[in-house]
């Protein structure tokens, strides 16, 4: 999990440095923009939607490119299958209970990753920006919280490689509830508290 946390934090930090649009960050920045009244709601929602579409397209294209060009072998396939099975554990619980668990896990994931995005703005050096990102993202990974953009990558690799689950099952039992939780977490646990404390007079 520590190695996985390093990998996720590096990928997230690349997004931060490139000033790219990640769904996770949009779940913090877009609500904060609406709360401050800094931009018309239609423009904010359009950007939010484009971030979602772009992240989905990127994950699918990445999954296709990897499965089309690489053959990692049985150990990788087994690890991927184990990871995907863990992501789909809410399906085994089923019903409202399973869906609710996935939503809450998504809330906690975007709280930590949203805070990582916030911490990255505080550092004055590359290392100063990266260390809090590493800590927050590694914590989210180690806890096993559900982060829709990251899970898209796993599911794309598995589905396009001929594995489980089906795209409908992945959407219904992970991506949709986790994505909803990501929006709630970024809004309620990051954007709203900071707006309340610091942003109303800004």
């Amino acid at each position: 999990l520590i190695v996985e946390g390093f990998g996720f934090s590096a990928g997230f930090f690349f997004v931060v440095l490139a000033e790219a649009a990640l769904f996770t960050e949009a779940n913090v920045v877009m609500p904060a923009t609406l709360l401050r009244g800094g931009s018309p709601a239609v423009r904010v929602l359009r950007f939010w939607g484009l971030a979602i579409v772009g992240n989905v397209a990127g994950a699918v294209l990445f999954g296709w490119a990897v499965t089309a060009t690489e053959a990692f072998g049985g150990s990788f396939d087994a690890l991927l299958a184990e990871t995907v099975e863990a992501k789909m554990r809410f399906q085994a619980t089923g019903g409202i209970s399973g869906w609710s668990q996935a939503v809450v896990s998504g809330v906690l994931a975007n709280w930590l990753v949203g805070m990582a995005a916030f911490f990255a703005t505080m550092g004055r050096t590359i290392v100063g920006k990266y260390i809090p990102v590493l800590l927050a993202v590694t914590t989210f990974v180690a806890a096993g919280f559900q982060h829709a953009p990251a899970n898209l990558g796993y599911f794309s690799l598995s589905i396009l490689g001929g594995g489980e689950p089906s795209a409908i099952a992945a959407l219904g039992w992970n991506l949709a509830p986790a994505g909803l939780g990501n929006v709630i977490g970024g809004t309620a646990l990051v954007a709203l508290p900071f707006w309340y404390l610091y942003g109303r007079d800004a």
Side-chain angles (χ1 to χ4, degrees), residues 156-176:
S156 294
L157 286 170
S158 182
I159 293 170
L160 293 173
E164 297 289 338
S166 68
I168 296 299
L171 177 64
W173 287 106
N174 186 282
L175 297 176

Side-chain angles (χ1 to χ4, degrees), residues 69-137:
T69 60
E70 298 290 344
F72 292 104
S75 59
F76 173 83
D77 293 339
L79 179 59
L80 178 61
E82 181 182 340
T83 301
V84 167
E85 183 180 359
K87 301 293 181 187
M88 292 298 293
R89 65 185 182 273
F90 308 104
Q91 186 178 28
T93 303
I96 295 175
S97 178
W99 228 77
S100 299
Q101 289 175 15
V103 170
V104 173
S105 185
V107 169
L108 296 172
N110 217 110
W111 167 55
L112 286 169
V113 184
M115 288 303 297
F118 176 76
F119 291 148
T121 66
M122 299 172 62
R124 295 293 178 263
T125 65
I126 294 294
V127 174
K129 289 176 179 291
Y130 179 64
I131 289 175
V133 168
L134 172 65
L135 295 174
V137 173

Side-chain angles (χ1 to χ4, degrees), residues 3 20 43 45 71 78 144 193:
V3 174
R43 186 176 180 185
L45 294 174

Side-chain angles (χ1 to χ4, degrees), residues 5-64:
F6 271 99
F8 268 97
S9 62
F12 181 77
F13 198 54
F14 292 162
V15 171
V16 170
L17 293 178
E19 298 183 355
L22 183 66
F23 175 63
T24 308
E25 280 190 287
N27 293 336
V28 175
V29 176
M30 295 302 99
T33 302
L34 287 173
L35 288 167
R36 291 198 311 267
S39 187
V42 172
R43 186 176 180 185
V44 170
L45 294 174
R46 181 176 62 187
F47 181 88
W48 216 334
L50 289 172
I52 294 171
V53 171
N55 283 194
V56 171
V60 172
L61 287 172
F62 172 78
W64 171 81

